[in-house]
Amino acid sequence: MAHDPVLQAIERHMPALERAAGVYVAYSGGLDSTVLLHALATSFSGLVTALHANHGLHDDAELWARHCAELCDQWKVSFRSTRLQLNDTGDGVEAAARSARYHWFETCVEADAVLLMAHHQDDQAETLLLRLLRGAGPQGLGSIPTTRALGHGSLLRPLLDIPRSDLAGYAAQHKLSWIDDPSNTDTRFDRNYLRQEVMPLLAGRWPGYRSTLSRAASQLRELNEHLPGPALPTVHGSLGDPGFQVEDLPREPALAALALRRWLRERSLVAPPAARLSEFLRQVRHGSGARLCGSGWTLERYRAAVYLCPTGLDPAPGILTIQPGQALHWPVMGELALKAEGEDLSQLSLRTRRGGERLAMVDGHHKDLKTVFQDLAIPPWWRSGLPLLVRSSAAGEELLCVAHLLRSPRAVSSGIELVWKSEGIR
């Protein structure tokens, strides 16, 4: 058993790490993640991958990325880095950066692998106070969980029970070098103000406040796990979007809010402030069109259900030629393949809606594409990006397939079919 508190904290999770399909570390280059990566590299030599998210928010961001790459090379750690594109949904640049970062992490961590993050006891105490000052409810006051799902893998924070001073001691002992982000001292940001101005005052009066606040957060998390709120059964739309039926929402507004928060949490999505969530639920009760945006996600009502809209639908590709047996990547949907037999197939192509398209029906009539979408219950957010298979000729274009969902009689008789291999929309 190691005597260093950092190594002891990691050893407590060793069985889970040894079973993992892969071990990743979220590595910003700061003190906390540098200590965690060094400790993991010592325990899992050659088996650790560092993930460095470059947000592009500081002039030295590229220098920081090179610093991280050089240390990983020195420690025999695999290194992956990306330059993130931030989309501010109105919650601020910090929320946009967090959303983009976690989305990238999800794409990197394979099934049954684990991503470790270096949050510690000081972070836990700050988070609890911040959420309390913002009026968070029981779920929010549970603060930072030790572990949760992350895409097809999981996220683990092994250092949550130890203070940052232990990490600083480890860094000093091993003579580690790290990046000091100057924005961390900017007290215009709420967390920095707490860290620089408020926490020292608390420490002067209550030296053990970190442990006390962490224990309170832990007790709230345990309560939330045992009393998680009403469950909303998940349904799926015509293209796999997960959602829930409006009629399954509890009639009592407070219970409806608890149920929606639970549904979001089960998908590792952070619920918006209470006022926005309550207004969305009020709109949901009054018909279609209700829409709620969070950090990197959107909920929207369509007909009798509320669905989690996919990301990345736009921009759709232009016109793509396709041959039998060929598979093409289509945004969000995944792979589309063409099955066909018989006649000349050289003039087939895939494109999106332009307006005026009509599909032949078995009764000899034609339906405009808008009506087809309505009959198939295709939500509005999919319609502009859904792939259409068309045949071009001197007489014009003929619509053969609406994605994998519906075919014209000619397509059926010719054995023409689009096959969809889903990417697994969450």
Side-chain angles (χ1 to χ4, degrees):
M1 170 68 92
H3 296 294
D4 184 275
V6 171
L7 296 177
Q8 286 178 345
I10 291 173
E11 282 185 358
R12 285 194 286 271
H13 299 279
M14 197 64 75
L17 295 176
E18 290 174 342
R19 292 192 303 268
V23 177
Y24 297 83
V25 175
Y27 180 38
S28 69
L31 168 65
D32 307 339
S33 62
T34 298
V35 167
L36 179 61
L37 182 62
H38 183 271
L40 263 294
T42 302
S43 302
F44 292 87
S45 179
L47 301 176
V48 179
T49 299
L51 302 179
H52 178 79
N54 179 353
H55 302 94
L57 297 176
H58 192 276
D59 292 341
D60 292 332
E62 298 299 331
L63 291 175
W64 296 346
R66 286 199 293 273
H67 165 88
C68 293
E70 290 169 0
L71 276 186
C72 286
D73 183 63
Q74 178 183 331
W75 295 343
K76 296 181 174 55
V77 169
S78 299
F79 180 75
R80 292 174 63 180
S81 177
T82 190
R83 177 69 178 264
L84 297 175
Q85 297 296 320
L86 305 188
N87 298 309
D88 192 348
T89 59
D91 294 322
V93 68
E94 289 180 285
R98 181 187 184 280
S99 175
R101 183 168 65 249
Y102 276 81
H103 179 72
W104 181 59
F105 289 158
E106 287 186 5
T107 65
C108 294
V109 178
E110 69 269 26
D112 300 320
V114 60
L115 172 73
L116 291 93
M117 302 188 79
H119 295 96
H120 45 74
Q121 201 175 71
D122 295 51
D123 293 322
Q124 185 73 287
E126 292 166 3
T127 299
L128 177 60
L129 284 178
L130 276 174
R131 293 184 179 177
L132 187 62
L133 290 168
R134 292 169 181 169
Q139 297 292 344
L141 295 179
S143 299
I144 307 173
T146 301
T147 184
R148 69 166 176 84
L150 181 75
H152 298 295
S154 61
L155 187 155
L156 173 65
R157 300 179 175 97
L159 309 180
L160 267 184
D161 291 332
I162 63 176
R164 191 172 191 265
S165 57
D166 286 344
L167 277 66
Y170 181 101
Q173 178 185 349
H174 295 275
K175 298 180 173 57
L176 302 181
S177 60
W178 61 87
I179 296 163
D180 281 319
D181 184 345
S183 68
N184 289 337
T185 60
D186 188 344
T187 54
R188 290 176 299 174
F189 298 109
D190 291 343
R191 185 176 291 272
N192 291 342
Y193 182 81
L194 273 180
R195 186 176 298 158
Q196 303 292 330
E197 304 291 339
V198 177
M199 296 309 203
L201 294 175
L202 291 178
R205 182 64 180 255
W206 297 282
Y209 79 91
R210 298 174 182 85
S211 176
T212 303
L213 293 180
S214 294
R215 186 166 65 251
S218 177
Q219 291 170 349
L220 281 165
R221 282 197 305 278
E222 290 177 4
L223 178 63
N224 294 334
E225 290 169 3
H226 287 92
L227 301 172
L232 290 173
T234 296
V235 299
H236 291 87
S238 56
L239 284 158
D241 302 326
F244 54 87
Q245 295 287 345
V246 174
E247 66 180 16
D248 288 333
L249 281 167
R251 300 303 303 177
E252 169 60 42
L255 289 178
L258 280 175
L260 179 52
R261 289 180 186 278
R262 175 178 177 176
W263 194 88
L264 290 170
R265 188 172 65 254
E266 288 169 349
R267 285 152 187 80
S268 302
L269 303 175
V270 179
R276 283 174 51 199
L277 190 142
S278 296
E279 174 59 19
F280 170 70
L281 288 170
R282 187 194 67 79
Q283 293 175 7
V284 163
R285 298 289 193 196
H286 288 81
S288 61
R291 197 164 186 262
L292 179 67
C293 295
S295 296
W297 57 266
T298 299
L299 281 179
E300 190 165 340
R301 176 168 178 171
Y302 176 62
R303 296 187 176 177
V306 173
Y307 295 104
L308 182 64
C309 303
T311 57
L313 283 175
D314 293 319
I319 300 174
L320 300 177
T321 58
I322 187 169
Q323 297 296 321
Q326 180 185 8
L328 293 177
H329 180 80
W330 199 266
V332 179
M333 291 188 70
E335 285 189 349
L336 286 171
L338 175 64
K339 291 174 61 178
E341 55 191 44
E343 58 191 86
D344 179 24
L345 304 169
S346 60
Q347 300 302 311
L348 296 183
S349 60
L350 283 175
R351 65 168 177 81
T352 54
R353 182 185 191 184
R354 293 175 180 169
E357 294 89 352
R358 294 172 64 82
L359 183 70
M361 310 305 291
V362 293
D363 61 3
H365 292 86
H366 286 73
K367 281 188 179 180
D368 63 78
L369 193 56
K370 179 180 179 181
T371 302
V372 171
F373 284 158
Q374 292 172 344
D375 292 345
L376 294 174
I378 305 298
W381 52 87
W382 274 102
R383 296 180 184 181
S384 64
L386 206 64
L388 307 176
L389 182 68
V390 298
R391 182 200 304 276
S392 300
S393 68
E397 280 190 339
E398 178 186 7
L399 178 58
L400 297 175
C401 299
V402 178
H404 61 294
L405 300 167
L406 190 62
R407 298 184 287 166
S408 71
R410 181 188 291 270
V412 173
S413 64
S414 302
I416 296 173
E417 181 181 3
L418 279 177
V419 180
W420 173 33
K421 181 181 179 182
S422 170
E423 282 187 345
I425 302 169
R426 63 182 181 181

